[in-house]
Amino acid sequence: MSLKEKFNQLEKKNQQAEQSGGEERIRKQHEAGRLIARERIELLLDAHTFVEMDKFVRHRSINFGMGENKIYGDGVVSGYGKIDGRLVYVYAQDFTVFGGTLSRANADKIVKVMKLALKTGAPIIGLNDSGGARIQEGVESLGGYADIFYLNTKASGVIPQISAILGPCAGGAVYSPALTDFILMTKKNSYMFVTGPDVLKTVTHEEVSKEELGGALTHNQKSGVAHLMADDDENAMMLLRELMSFLPSNNMEDPPLKPCMDDFQREDISLNSLIPDDPNKPYDIKELIIKVVDDQNFFEIMPAHAQNIVIGYARIGGKSVGIVANQPAHLAGVLDINSSMKAARFVRFCDAFNIPIITFEDVPGFMPGLDQEFGGIIKHGAKLLFAYAEATVPKITVITRKAYGGAYDVMSSKHMGGDVNLAYPTAEIAVMGPEGAVNILYRKYNLSDKEKMEKLNEYRKEFASPYKAAELGYIDEIIYPSQTRLKLIQALEMTDNKSEQTPHKKHGNIPL
Ligand code: HXC
């Protein structure tokens, strides 16, 4: 073969590989409102940075006529590229080739980029769109999945792992995304479930659509399995890029700094009237978050699930921070099973990846109720305690109003290792609210309305304020709400070099 012929051969093979499953299948994919693997990667990465690996890999199966049916790439496009100039690894299942199903060869491609990501300390992003285990390959496919699960677990806490679900994801295949740090799902086109509607109908006689069982809304709102929801593939890739901008490449690095044009000293007078006079009146904690962070840019995670707690990323003075905030506008900001789990996982991610945690606290306590007790609020609430206590990143807390009972302890209190604990003059730090306290203390006395009011006022004066805690040094400073941004910037600067050693252990035993 001449040199020219050899080059022509390469070009022809490249073209063949890039045709994926062919025009007809690509058309079907587009008609369904989904992009194909290479189009997604192009949108995800900085222009012209994608380097594809294993483009000519083909499966080695011979059963069920597969010996004569081989396609370059074998249903997954993998490699590396850049997001905002930073290295990331990516694999995108190609639904147009054997339904994006996982064969041994296809799994080996994914395993290869995962291992490289671990060795070189860069995030890995999986774009999932697959019919699951390739039926023709049997246990070889199952083994491929298990290899991926194993590496997901090894990589947890070492490099950020992000999954986008952009089509089907069913059976055991859901467990790789579940082991990663973030799951994004597209509306309408994506679904995740362990057993599909047909099996459910036969086994449990429940009739449910795919969408209702495992669509984006279900997992973003009800189950809490997913963290982000996108309108379509384009929007999904944009959200992934934005998420990445807050994260470091690995657990040995700090998150990227972004030059901050927003005034460090900026005061916001409107914050002084955010907390209502009436302690039982709700307000929106997101208003506070948005007003103190750089450029009002708050990237909320799990916005539709357990809305009594708000979590997400922002920058303050150019530094990435993780924000955890009780939301008085939803169930009075109470801590329940779902909100505890939501916040605990977030706190642990921030801690693993050197992202300081800022906690805004306004919490009346843990949710009472049979369903909560039977559901195990003891162990789920303990998850949040555990997460805050073990976190060694800078922990900064602002108590805006209520900090009652065990919830005061949990929410990054001084006693949980809080580095800077601030409170507004409107803070109420006590074992419980005035009404509950007076009812218990004077249960045996038949107080008149006037006497009860006197006792309530006495309790409010003595306990429903931040001053007792400040007297004891549990609160470092009482601040005006308008100064919150400046105070957070000062606290972040002060804790910038924080280093805290923990006793050597294999790993803790978080209450699961
Ligand atoms: C082999 C498969 C396949 C599979 C789909 N295909 N799933 N090939 N193994 N699991 C092929 C189809 O034959 C078809 O090939 C192409 O992919 C596209 O599939 P269609 O059915 O035409 O597409 P669509 O109508 O959009 O339906 C997609 C689908 C459906 C809903 C995913 O294909 C389906 O239900 N597949 C089976 C899903 C499943 O049960 N997987 C196993 C899950 S358990 P052609 O050549 O016609 O284009 C699992 C275990 C993991 O994954 C274990 C981990 C421990």
Side-chain angles (χ1 to χ4, degrees):
M1 218 188 254
S2 69
L3 196 60
K4 189 163 181 269
E5 282 167 337
K6 282 182 181 171
F7 285 178
N8 283 344
Q9 183 188 35
L10 174 62
E11 193 177 328
K12 200 167 150 228
K13 279 183 188 286
N14 270 326
Q15 276 170 0
Q16 276 174 355
E18 283 162 24
Q19 273 168 5
S20 291
E23 270 175 32
E24 179 55 22
R25 288 194 183 89
I26 294 174
R27 190 186 55 76
K28 262 179 80 180
Q29 179 87 346
H30 285 162
E31 269 175 13
R34 282 142 75 196
L35 296 176
I36 59 166
R38 283 189 182 82
E39 291 168 339
R40 287 168 174 161
I41 291 177
E42 202 155 296
L43 286 172
L44 176 68
L45 301 179
D46 296 349
H48 316 301
T49 61
F50 181 53
V51 179
E52 186 170 346
M53 302 173 78
D54 290 338
K55 199 172 183 177
F56 299 139
V57 161
R58 296 193 292 188
H59 68 75
R60 301 175 285 270
S61 168
I62 46 166
N63 298 326
F64 304 102
M66 289 299 276
E68 297 77 51
N69 191 7
K70 294 187 183 221
I71 299 177
Y72 286 133
D74 201 38
V76 67
V77 179
S78 60
Y80 59 95
K82 288 183 178 172
I83 292 183
D84 291 334
R86 296 192 301 149
L87 174 68
V88 296
Y89 292 84
V90 61
Y91 68 87
Q93 292 170 329
D94 185 348
F95 192 79
T96 67
V97 176
F98 306 124
T101 50
L102 198 97
S103 65
R104 182 66 257 178
N106 170 309
D108 288 343
K109 287 179 67 169
I110 296 174
V111 162
K112 188 189 270 185
V113 283
M114 288 178 85
K115 283 186 173 166
L116 277 169
L118 254 173
K119 277 194 274 192
T120 58
I124 180 140
I125 301 174
L127 307 180
N128 296 264
D129 187 356
S130 162
R134 192 171 301 168
I135 295 165
Q136 297 92 330
E137 295 212 10
V139 70
E140 285 199 71
S141 170
L142 301 185
Y145 270 116
D147 290 343
I148 294 168
F149 301 157
Y150 183 76
L151 279 171
N152 283 138
T153 310
K154 291 276 172 211
S156 183
V158 182
I159 50 171
Q161 302 182 83
I162 298 165
S163 304
I165 315 297
L166 309 166
C169 185
V174 296
Y175 285 111
S176 173
L179 289 167
T180 63
D181 299 304
F182 297 98
I183 297 179
L184 174 150
M185 295 182 75
T186 44
K187 283 182 195 162
K188 297 196 191 101
N189 275 325
S190 70
Y191 53 87
M192 296 177 82
F193 36 70
V194 173
T195 34
D198 295 343
V199 179
L200 240 66
K201 199 171 161 187
T202 325
V203 179
T204 65
H205 310 295
E206 289 162 306
E207 279 199 47
V208 66
S209 68
K210 270 197 304 210
E211 180 68 24
E212 202 185 339
L213 181 62
L217 200 62
T218 297
H219 287 311
N220 276 274
Q221 207 170 43
K222 275 194 196 143
S223 73
V225 163
H227 303 84
L228 293 165
M229 183 158 67
D231 293 332
D232 52 26
D233 287 2
E234 279 94 347
N235 182 224
M237 298 307 119
M238 206 189 74
L239 286 173
L240 293 181
R241 285 180 64 89
E242 194 172 357
L243 172 62
M244 288 295 306
S245 76
F246 295 100
L247 314 182
S249 293
N250 60 62
N251 65 336
M252 304 298 279
E253 286 182 12
D254 286 332
L257 271 176
K258 196 174 173 206
C260 175
M261 301 303 158
D262 196 348
D263 186 2
F264 280 35
Q265 313 272 341
R266 178 169 57 77
E267 285 198 25
D268 195 321
I269 296 298
S270 71
L271 288 179
N272 283 343
S273 50
L274 176 69
I275 318 294
D277 267 343
D278 177 355
N280 295 322
K281 226 173 141 184
Y283 62 95
D284 186 358
I285 199 74
K286 286 192 218 173
E287 192 182 329
L288 169 60
I289 298 172
I290 284 165
K291 284 181 173 167
V292 300
V293 301
D294 292 356
D295 309 315
Q296 306 199 335
N297 183 18
F298 178 52
F299 188 81
E300 193 174 352
I301 305 287
M302 300 175 89
H305 179 72
Q307 291 179 323
N308 34 334
I309 208 151
V310 173
I311 57 171
Y313 296 105
R315 286 180 198 86
I316 299 184
K319 289 185 182 138
S320 257
V321 292
I323 292 176
V324 179
N326 308 116
Q327 173 57 291
H330 192 88
L331 298 174
V334 74
L335 280 175
D336 57 6
I337 292 173
N338 287 344
S339 61
S340 299
M341 289 202 284
K342 170 177 165 181
R345 185 156 164 81
F346 182 74
V347 165
R348 295 195 99 213
F349 179 86
C350 290
D351 186 46
F353 290 101
N354 313 316
I355 303 171
I357 299 160
I358 293 183
T359 304
F360 292 107
E361 178 172 2
D362 186 346
V363 58
F366 280 99
M367 178 87 131
L370 272 188
D371 60 335
Q372 291 289 311
E373 296 291 345
F374 290 175
I377 190 157
I378 295 174
K379 71 175 175 187
H380 298 301
K383 290 185 167 89
L384 188 54
L385 256 170
F386 196 104
Y388 266 124
E390 79 172 343
T392 57
V393 287
K395 291 186 280 195
I396 299 157
T397 308
V398 182
I399 301 179
T400 60
R401 192 167 60 179
K402 294 171 192 164
Y404 290 164
Y408 156 73
D409 285 345
V410 175
M411 299 298 296
S412 199
S413 63
K414 197 51 113 192
H415 328 275
M416 285 288 118
D419 298 296
V420 178
N421 292 71
L422 307 170
Y424 289 171
T426 45
E428 301 176 14
I429 307 171
V431 173
M432 61 178 72
E435 282 78 14
V438 167
N439 282 343
I440 291 176
L441 288 174
Y442 299 98
R443 195 168 22 205
K444 294 198 183 117
Y445 305 83
N446 228 345
L447 295 185
S448 68
D449 285 354
K450 187 166 166 277
E451 285 167 327
K452 193 171 170 192
M453 192 53 75
E454 276 169 16
K455 294 293 172 202
L456 278 173
N457 284 338
E458 190 186 328
Y459 184 91
R460 273 197 195 104
K461 201 163 146 244
E462 197 57 33
F463 292 114
S465 88
Y467 294 104
K468 185 73 195 169
E471 208 175 295
L472 295 165
Y474 298 165
I475 293 294
D476 303 304
E477 194 183 354
I478 310 220
I479 62 166
Y480 295 100
S482 58
Q483 299 176 318
T484 311
R485 175 172 166 80
L486 172 65
K487 292 293 169 188
L488 291 176
I489 288 177
Q490 289 171 336
L492 284 165
E493 272 175 10
M494 189 271 276
T495 53
D496 199 30
N497 280 336
K498 180 185 175 189
S499 120
E500 195 179 310
Q501 301 303 316
T502 47
H504 175 74
K505 56 181 153 182
K506 193 169 176 191
H507 56 69
N509 189 13
I510 191 164
L512 294 174

